[in-house]
Amino acid sequence: MATVRPFKAIRPAQKYADKVASLPYDVMNRQEASKMAAENPYSFLHICRSEIDLPHQKDPYDKSVYEKARENIANFLDKGIFTQDEEPALYIYRQVMDGRVQTGIVGTVSVDEYQNNTIKKHEFTRVEKELDRIRHFDVCDANTEPVFLTYRDDKRIRVLIEGWASGRKPTYDFTGAGGIRHTLWVVDDPQTIESLTSLFGEIPSLYIADGHHRSASACKVGLKRREETPDYTGEEEFNFFMAVIFPDADLHIFDYNRVVKDLNGNTVESLMEKIKAAGFKIDKKGEDVYRPEAKHCFGMFLEGNWYRLTAKEEIIPDHVIDSLDVAILQNKILGPILGIEDPRTDKRIDFVGGIRGLEELEKRCREDMKIAFAVHPVEIEDLLTVSDNDLVMPPKSTWFEPKLGSGLFLHQL
C-alpha cells in the first residue's frame, strides 16, 4: 500500500510565486536557462540550474555548482523570497493547459516503497544523470524538484480534494510560462490530512509518470543518509522524497516523434519497397501534415510529402512492450531498414516531443534531417500495464504536458 506523508514545504512567499516558478531543470540547456533567468533574480533556475550564476565554470557537474545552488536557497530564505511552513501539510496542486485540468496532491513518498516497487517504474536511468541529482539534493539538503507520480483514479480521493479546493481561496493562482495556470492550496487541517493519507494507504501502487532520475537520485540520497545515521528510526525526512501525485484520468500523454539524418544508403524507392515488405500499407497524403489517427498508424515525412504507414495485423506482436507503436517502429523500420540499432546512443536519430507540433518534424527535415516519423501517443493504461509487469518502455516513449512548475515547493532532508 502507498505511503503519502505531509511535510513542511519550503516555498515562495505568495507575492513571489509567479516570479520564482520555472520549467524543470531537464527540459532546457544551459544557454536557454541563462536566457530565461537573465532578467529575473527570483527565478528558480538560479537553484535548479545554478551553473548559470557561474559563467566561468564550464563543468555543470563541478562541486561549485551544487554549492552555489545551496547558497542561493539560503539567500532566498534570508530575503523572504522563500519561507518554510511551520507544520507539516499536504498541498493540492492544479494545472490548467488549453482548458485541460489536472489536480493532484503534493506530499512525500517512501524510499522503501521505491525500493520494493510499490512505486513502479517504466524507464531505465543513466548513471551520470543520477549522479548529478544525487549531488544536487545532497549538497542542498533538499529535494529541490518533485517527482511526477500517478495512480489509478479513486473517486474518494477526488471528492476530498475537490471539496477542499472548491471552498477555499488558493495560496497561489497565476499563469506561468506557456500559458499554464498554476493553483495551489495548503491542506493544513489534521483531519483532512489523515483522511487523504489513509485513502492513499489503500492504493496498491503509485507509478512514476515523469522523473525517473529524480526518483532514483532521491532514493539513493536517502540510503546514503541512512548509512551516515546508523541509529536512524525511519521517520527522518531523508527516508522520504517529494512528489506530485495526479490521478491517471487527468493526465495527457503527447506523441514522441523521431527524425533520422539519412536513409542508410537507401533510395526513396528502395526504402518504400522495404517498408512494404516489412508489413506496412503505404498511402501518400501529400504536403498537408498527417497526424496518425489511431494505434498502429504512423506518419512519415520524406522529401516534402507525408505518408500514412499502417502496420498490418500480422506484424503486431501479442506482447505488452513489442505491440507499442514506438516498439513496432523501432523493430520493423528504424532498426532493420534505417540501421538505428540503439536509439539511446545513435547520433543519427533525434526525438521531438509532440508539444512542438508536427510542423517541427518538417522543419528538422529541411534543416538537418532526412526523414521523420510521427507516432500515435502512448496511452496512460499502456504505461500502467508496462509498469505492473515490471517491464521497461522503449526510450522516448512518453511526453507529458504540462510540465510541473519548479520552485513552488522544496522538501528539506
Side-chain angles (χ1 to χ4, degrees), residues 247-380:
D248 64 338
D250 283 8
L251 301 185
H252 182 75
I253 303 177
F254 281 75
D255 42 314
Y256 215 152
N257 302 309
R258 278 77 169 132
V259 288
V260 180
K261 191 171 288 292
D262 57 64
L263 300 186
N264 194 35
N266 290 286
T267 64
V268 172
E269 292 74 19
S270 66
L271 176 75
M272 295 293 190
E273 288 303 316
K274 289 179 181 179
I275 291 174
K276 288 178 183 177
F280 294 85
K281 180 176 181 292
I282 301 177
D283 297 295
K284 187 173 182 178
K285 307 300 285 187
E287 296 182 1
D288 293 338
V289 169
Y290 167 68
R291 179 176 297 279
E293 66 267 37
K295 278 187 174 183
H296 311 324
C297 286
F298 305 84
M300 181 176 73
F301 184 72
L302 176 62
E303 295 196 341
N305 285 297
W306 282 93
Y307 300 84
R308 178 175 62 197
L309 312 182
T310 306
K312 296 179 181 178
E313 188 173 346
E314 59 263 28
I315 73 164
I316 301 170
D318 184 19
H319 185 273
V320 65
I321 294 292
D322 292 342
S323 62
L324 295 174
D325 283 353
V326 288
I328 292 171
L329 179 63
Q330 175 61 39
N331 295 335
K332 298 296 182 181
I333 297 178
L334 296 180
I337 299 175
L338 291 177
I340 307 294
E341 297 300 331
D342 185 355
R344 298 175 191 277
T345 59
D346 198 310
K347 302 300 184 185
R348 295 171 51 238
I349 190 170
D350 199 4
F351 304 88
V352 181
I355 190 67
R356 295 180 178 270
L358 298 186
E359 291 78 9
E360 180 69 15
L361 302 185
E362 295 183 351
K363 178 173 177 285
R364 291 295 301 274
C365 286
R366 289 193 298 269
E367 293 177 348
D368 63 334
M369 293 292 179
K370 179 67 175 179
I371 188 170
F373 296 91
V375 183
H376 193 265
V378 170
E379 295 179 359
I380 188 67

Side-chain angles (χ1 to χ4, degrees), residues 83-129:
T83 61
Q84 184 169 21
D85 290 329
E86 295 183 1
E87 298 295 332
L90 294 173
Y91 306 85
I92 296 172
Y93 179 44
R94 174 174 292 160
Q95 295 180 290
V96 182
M97 175 183 177
D98 297 332
R100 185 172 52 81
V101 180
Q102 58 187 39
T103 305
I105 285 289
V106 185
T108 59
V109 295
S110 168
V111 164
D112 291 313
E113 290 174 8
Y114 178 88
Q115 293 280 90
N116 68 25
N117 212 34
T118 298
I119 300 173
K120 294 184 176 293
K121 306 90 177 165
H122 67 266
E123 285 184 9
F124 288 125
T125 56
R126 290 164 48 194
V127 172
E128 66 273 17
K129 291 188 71 175

Side-chain angles (χ1 to χ4, degrees), residues 12-20 42 79-81 171-172 174:
Q14 189 175 42
K15 66 180 180 179
Y16 295 114
D18 61 330
K19 302 176 182 66
V20 170
Y42 306 106
K79 293 176 181 178
I81 300 167
T171 301
Y172 308 145
F174 63 90

Side-chain angles (χ1 to χ4, degrees), residues 23-58:
L23 292 170
Y25 81 101
D26 55 353
V27 301
M28 70 199 75
N29 60 34
R30 179 176 182 155
Q31 291 71 29
E32 291 168 334
S34 294
K35 185 176 180 180
M36 291 176 186
E39 303 299 324
N40 182 6
Y42 306 106
S43 173
F44 192 69
L45 294 174
H46 295 288
I47 292 167
C48 67
R49 296 300 300 259
S50 52
E51 67 269 25
I52 66 176
D53 292 341
L54 299 170
H56 62 283
Q57 179 53 260
K58 302 304 181 186

